Each structure stands twice: as C-alpha cells, then as structure tokens.
Amino acid sequence: MRITFVLPPVNMSGGTRVVTVYANALIRMGHTVTLVSPPPRPISVSSKLRRWIKGSGWVNEDHRRRSHLDGSGLDHIVLERWRAVDESDVPDADVIVATWWETAEWISSFSPEKGAQVYFIQHHEVFPHLPIARVRATYRLGLHKIVIASWLRDVMLSEYGDACVDLVPNSVDKTQFFADVRTKQRVPTAGFLYSSVAFKGVDVTLAALAKVRASLPDLRIIAFGSERITSSLPLLSDTEFVSSPAQNEIRDLYGACDVWVTASRSEGFNLPAMEAMACRTPVVSTKTGWPEEVIRTGYNGVLVDVDDVDALAKGIEWVVTRQSDEWSKLSLNAYRTVEHSSWDASAALFEAALRNAVTRSARSTVAVK
C-alpha cells in the first residue's frame, strides 16, 4: 500500500514516536510511506518575553524543531511555513492517516485519490486549551478510526456512536527497554517524567513526593524530560534531573528506580509506565490510560484516584518500603505485565486496520460525515 501520515508539527512527544515506529514497521512490511507536517507555529517576540518572565526560559527554536523523526531516514515532507496541509501537499495514496484533531479536519475534504481516510486517535483531545466543539466534531467525521487503548474505543462508541473502531495498543521496544533481575536498592528511589502540561499531573507527583520525603528523608528522586524546569513547577531539592536524555539512556533511568510515579489527570496511553515496567520497575499511577487497565494494586504497583495526593504518597511509600523479597515480586510482576507486548505485533494490527479502512472506503461503509 501507499500510505501517507499527516502530522501536526513533529516533536519529542510519545505521539510522534509512535507514528515513527509504525512508519518504519510498515516500510519493512513492503509498503511505501510518506509523512507530511507543517513546521512549528511561529512564536512572537512578545510571547517569548512573557514566557521568559514567567520563568520558562527563552524559547529555543532549534529545540522546538527536534523530533523523533530526526535521523530516521523516513520520507518526511515539511511545509515551508506553518499552515494547514492541503491536498496538493500530499501524494496520491491508498490510505491517508490523520494523527491529531486538526489533521483530521484537514484531510476530511481530500479527494479519494489521496487514499482511504483514517483517524489515528492517541487521546480524547477535549481539553480546555483547545476548541472543544471543533475537536469533538472531528470524532464524528467519516474517517475510519484506530485507537490505542480500550477506553478510547469505549469513548468512540458511547460519545460518538462509532462501533467500527480498530484497537491497536501501543507496545514497548524490548531491545531498548529491559533490565536484569534486580533487588530493591539500599536508598529508596522514585522516578517520574517532568512535564509542565497540566493534565500530566506533575504538580500532584511533586506534592506526593514531598509527603514521602517527610517520612523518608533519604528518598532519592530522579526525573527526566524534554522541557526546561519552570519556576511555576520547580523540582524538589536534590532531585536528579536529566534533560532530554538519549533514547538509549532512558532505560538506565527507569532501572535506577524502585518505583515509577505517574499522576496524570488524563492519558491516551502512557508509554513511560509501560517502559518502566519493561525495566522491572513497579508503577504507582492514577487511574488513567493504560495503567488503569493493567495495574493491580499490590501485584505490579499501586493504582490511585486522580488528584489524590495522599493516596499517591502512600502508594509510593508502600512500594519503596517493601521487604526485598516482596519488592522483587512486584518487580517481576511488573515485567510480566508487558513481557508479551511487541511492536511487531502492534504493527501487524495497524497494517490490518489500514486494510480494513481501504475495504470500508471501497464499500462506502465508513460513517457518513
């Protein structure tokens, strides 16, 4: 098949990484893949100044343009400036895949020659900072949907009446994320991914870790992320922060932790939680995304309610204070939770979903716009 992915400005997010994984896999399967995206939106000097005054630092344009596509060798067309991708920007294809709500708007009016239209949904993007009515309207467009988690499939049915949705769960690269069998460390260590995005709940993570530090003063804290630490969301003292680590360094960061913490208020999937488990690290998480589907409290981690700082703190403390044999069981069970996941298997499901979209398009059985 000839396959086109239409993306928003690409970056170092998990969403861009997943598309990169599938694009490479589809090429290995013998398909022709093209990716098209605009560059980042320009930021005015006044906006840059406001961000700097707020403590976010000066905007680094080179940093904004970094993405998981860098060095991938994929056929990636970047528009000359930020604007909507239009029909003349994309090649004729068998299938065209929108990867974000705006891209779904863009491709929905394209002619059949550009391919059967697919909406690859990695989150339910109904957030206050977005035009919610427009976002919701994209889920009602006549595009065949592929979702990454069961909860998203349920939402597409319950809120938008679409029962013909393909579920293709994310996976973990076992050649990148792995760890030898290990024991709990002498100094209890917790880790998390730093992000200033509100729905990631890092403010909750920090509040919970502060509570744990009150009872366990020697708690070691590790964090990494691609963002600059902001004055509005400062790290706790002595936190070991690694900025934009190389992909092959992230495994060691997960493996240095006795517990991985994620307090998201909303998640499409939550790849870091899966990667941490592949590195034999139990996870304490809020009830969102993939963790809500797989974490069993006391078995492979702890699951708590969203925004419950006390419960998150208790979960973290419970994991890091287990006796060595108890912690080792948690570690083993975390590993077993993701042991059989495979990007190859997910890519095969993704390919099948694209073929399903082509078939439905040919039969005109995709939902009416």
Side-chain angles (χ1 to χ4, degrees):
M1 290 185 290
R2 297 165 300 164
I3 302 162
T4 304
F5 287 91
V6 179
L7 300 97
V10 295
N11 51 34
M12 294 300 295
S13 69
T16 298
R17 177 148 62 105
V18 170
V19 171
T20 304
V21 168
Y22 284 139
N24 279 309
L26 290 165
I27 289 171
R28 290 194 299 271
M29 294 175 182
H31 303 293
T32 300
V33 178
T34 302
L35 302 97
V36 182
S37 69
R41 290 176 184 265
I43 300 177
S44 67
V45 174
S46 59
S47 294
K48 291 179 180 180
L49 283 171
R50 283 195 296 271
R51 293 187 183 195
W52 181 76
I53 291 169
K54 289 180 180 179
S56 299
W58 190 255
V59 175
N60 185 322
E61 293 295 345
D62 289 337
H63 185 78
R64 291 182 72 217
R65 291 175 180 271
R66 289 183 59 225
S67 84
H68 289 287
L69 286 169
D70 296 342
S72 67
L74 293 166
D75 180 13
H76 180 205
I77 299 170
V78 181
L79 305 186
E80 77 289 351
R81 58 181 173 81
W82 193 95
R83 60 174 174 80
V85 174
D86 63 40
E87 193 164 329
S88 65
D89 298 316
V90 302
D92 290 352
D94 299 298
V95 61
I96 185 166
V97 185
T99 59
W100 164 252
W101 70 272
E102 280 181 299
T103 66
E105 286 185 336
W106 298 344
I107 77 166
S108 64
S109 62
F110 288 3
S111 64
E113 287 74 23
K114 301 304 175 181
Q117 296 175 355
V118 172
Y119 194 174
F120 182 35
I121 299 170
Q122 300 195 62
H123 209 318
H124 188 216
E125 305 283 355
V126 287
F127 301 123
H129 67 281
L130 296 176
I132 291 177
R134 283 176 59 193
V135 173
R136 287 191 179 279
T138 65
Y139 300 122
R140 299 187 178 93
L141 292 171
L143 282 64
H144 180 71
K145 299 181 183 69
I146 302 174
V147 299
I148 63 172
S150 298
W151 78 270
L152 284 168
R153 181 177 56 186
D154 295 341
V155 167
M156 293 305 120
L157 176 60
S158 62
E159 296 195 25
Y160 305 101
D162 193 346
C164 297
V165 176
D166 279 314
L167 171 61
V168 181
N170 288 339
S171 189
V172 61
D173 185 347
K174 304 293 182 50
T175 66
Q176 181 179 348
F177 298 106
F178 60 88
D180 294 331
V181 175
R182 55 194 172 91
T183 58
K184 191 178 75 165
Q185 300 172 106
R186 183 180 59 83
V187 177
T189 305
F192 68 96
L193 179 68
Y194 183 88
S195 172
S196 62
V197 177
F199 72 75
K200 293 293 184 179
V202 170
D203 57 326
V204 177
T205 296
L206 294 171
L209 289 171
K211 282 181 171 290
V212 177
R213 270 259 181 98
S215 57
L216 298 174
D218 63 340
L219 180 72
R220 179 188 178 198
I221 302 174
I222 296 174
F224 71 87
S226 60
E227 294 184 33
R228 187 192 305 267
I229 305 302
T230 67
S231 58
S232 59
L233 195 64
L235 297 175
L236 300 180
S237 62
D238 299 323
T239 296
E240 300 169 31
F241 179 72
V242 182
S243 177
S244 300
Q247 290 298 299
N248 59 5
E249 296 175 20
I250 297 175
R251 175 182 69 247
D252 294 332
L253 296 173
Y254 289 135
C257 298
D258 296 309
V259 63
W260 185 256
V261 185
T262 172
S264 294
R265 297 179 171 94
S266 176
E267 277 288 351
F269 191 83
N270 199 328
L271 270 175
M274 177 179 262
E275 293 164 356
M277 284 189 168
C279 296
R280 299 180 182 271
T281 303
V283 173
V284 175
S285 173
T286 46
K287 296 176 181 177
T288 60
W290 176 81
E292 185 174 14
E293 299 177 14
V294 301
I295 291 179
R296 291 161 48 194
T297 295
Y299 174 75
N300 52 8
V302 176
L303 202 61
V304 305
D305 290 333
V306 170
D307 281 331
D308 192 334
V309 173
D310 289 340
L312 194 72
K314 288 176 182 177
I316 296 166
E317 186 167 349
W318 183 84
V319 172
V320 300
T321 57
R322 293 305 87 200
Q323 296 296 321
S324 291
D325 58 342
E326 292 179 274
W327 185 91
S328 293
K329 288 178 182 177
L330 286 172
S331 173
L332 177 60
N333 292 336
Y335 172 76
R336 285 176 173 170
T337 301
V338 300
E339 183 178 12
H340 299 296
S341 65
S342 159
W343 275 120
D344 287 340
S346 293
L349 290 174
F350 197 89
E351 180 192 40
L354 296 183
R355 293 192 185 281
N356 188 19
V358 171
T359 299
R360 293 188 69 203
S361 179
R363 294 176 179 173
S364 299
T365 58
V366 180
V368 177
K369 299 178 185 179

